Amino acid sequence: MYCQKCGHEATGGDFCQNCGTMLNETERTKYAGFWIRFVACVIDGIIVGIPIFIIALMLGVFSLFSTGEISDFDSSYNSYSGDEYYEQSMSEFDVTMLIIQIVVWVLSIVIGILYYAGMHASKWQGTLGKMIVGIKVTDLNGQRISFLRALGRYFATILSSILYIGYIIAAFTEKKQSLHDFVAKTVVVYKR
């Protein structure tokens, strides 16, 4: 945020530290706190989680039919562990499930990058959850962030997720920044 009179960066308070001009409410930045960001995060989790769940479910059902586990369930259920057919069938099933888990994991990352980084770098400057609660992501000067910065911010959320300390610190910092905000040099503010 900059003073409208002299253009100096206003670092906080009600007056410009350079010229003393009073900063009115429209010039002050209101940072989004922990709880409003938490609500946006829950909304985004639902929005992103539903498609990932549907994809994982469809792949899981497909794998059951493609490996023959559904049709062979009765015979393999009653088999003992020394049965050669049973062990081969389970081995194929285990490999198929591992492949499906890897595919779902990769899809989750791709969907996360496209959703979070894409939306934060977009003209809306925030995900659907952030839009619903009326907040947006900006750089430290209040400008829209680039896709690369948004991508760095997305991957920095991994650091914030360690014991959730990186998220919790937003409740105690001056600009309500989480660890990933510090890493990406961003802030989350209320829309005007």
Side-chain angles (χ1 to χ4, degrees), residues 47-49 51-52 55 101-119 147 150-151 154-155 158:
I47 290 169
V48 172
I52 291 171
I55 291 168
Q101 287 176 343
I102 291 170
V103 167
V104 169
W105 181 73
V106 169
L107 279 174
S108 298
I109 290 173
V110 170
I111 290 170
I113 287 171
L114 293 175
Y115 180 72
Y116 290 100
M119 294 292 288
F147 181 78
L151 185 63
Y154 172 75
F155 283 113
I158 296 168

Side-chain angles (χ1 to χ4, degrees), residues 148-164:
L148 286 177
R149 184 175 286 199
L151 185 63
R153 185 179 189 275
Y154 172 75
F155 283 113
T157 59
I158 296 168
L159 295 173
S160 293
S161 298
I162 299 171
L163 299 176
Y164 298 102

Side-chain angles (χ1 to χ4, degrees), residues 6-43:
C6 72
H8 187 265
E9 185 175 3
T11 57
D14 293 337
F15 298 93
C16 174
Q17 294 173 343
N18 188 47
C19 70
T21 302
M22 183 172 178
L23 303 172
N24 62 33
E25 190 60 38
T26 60
E27 291 176 322
R28 278 188 252 150
T29 302
K30 187 172 181 193
Y31 301 105
F34 174 80
W35 289 111
I36 194 74
R37 292 173 67 167
F38 178 77
V39 170
C41 183
V42 169
I43 294 168

Side-chain angles (χ1 to χ4, degrees), residues 4-131:
Q4 226 172 13
K5 183 175 179 184
C6 72
H8 187 265
E9 185 175 3
T11 57
D14 293 337
F15 298 93
C16 174
Q17 294 173 343
N18 188 47
C19 70
T21 302
M22 183 172 178
L23 303 172
N24 62 33
E25 190 60 38
T26 60
E27 291 176 322
R28 278 188 252 150
T29 302
K30 187 172 181 193
Y31 301 105
F34 174 80
W35 289 111
I36 194 74
R37 292 173 67 167
F38 178 77
V39 170
C41 183
V42 169
I43 294 168
D44 288 331
I46 292 168
I47 290 169
V48 172
I50 289 173
I52 291 171
F53 174 76
I54 290 170
I55 291 168
L57 186 65
M58 289 181 352
L59 288 172
V61 169
F62 171 76
S63 75
L64 287 173
F65 286 109
S66 68
T67 59
E69 287 301 311
I70 293 289
S71 61
D72 296 333
F73 180 74
D74 288 335
S75 63
S76 65
Y77 179 74
N78 293 323
S79 298
Y80 58 91
S81 63
D83 186 350
E84 201 172 300
Y85 172 76
Y86 172 75
E87 289 182 8
Q88 179 183 359
S89 174
M90 287 310 292
S91 175
E92 291 172 11
F93 181 72
D94 291 343
V95 169
T96 303
M97 288 309 292
L98 178 63
I99 291 170
I100 287 173
Q101 287 176 343
I102 291 170
V103 167
V104 169
W105 181 73
V106 169
L107 279 174
S108 298
I109 290 173
V110 170
I111 290 170
I113 287 171
L114 293 175
Y115 180 72
Y116 290 100
M119 294 292 288
H120 287 151
S122 73
K123 67 179 181 180
W124 299 289
Q125 294 180 270
T127 59
L128 294 174
K130 285 181 177 67
M131 286 191 272

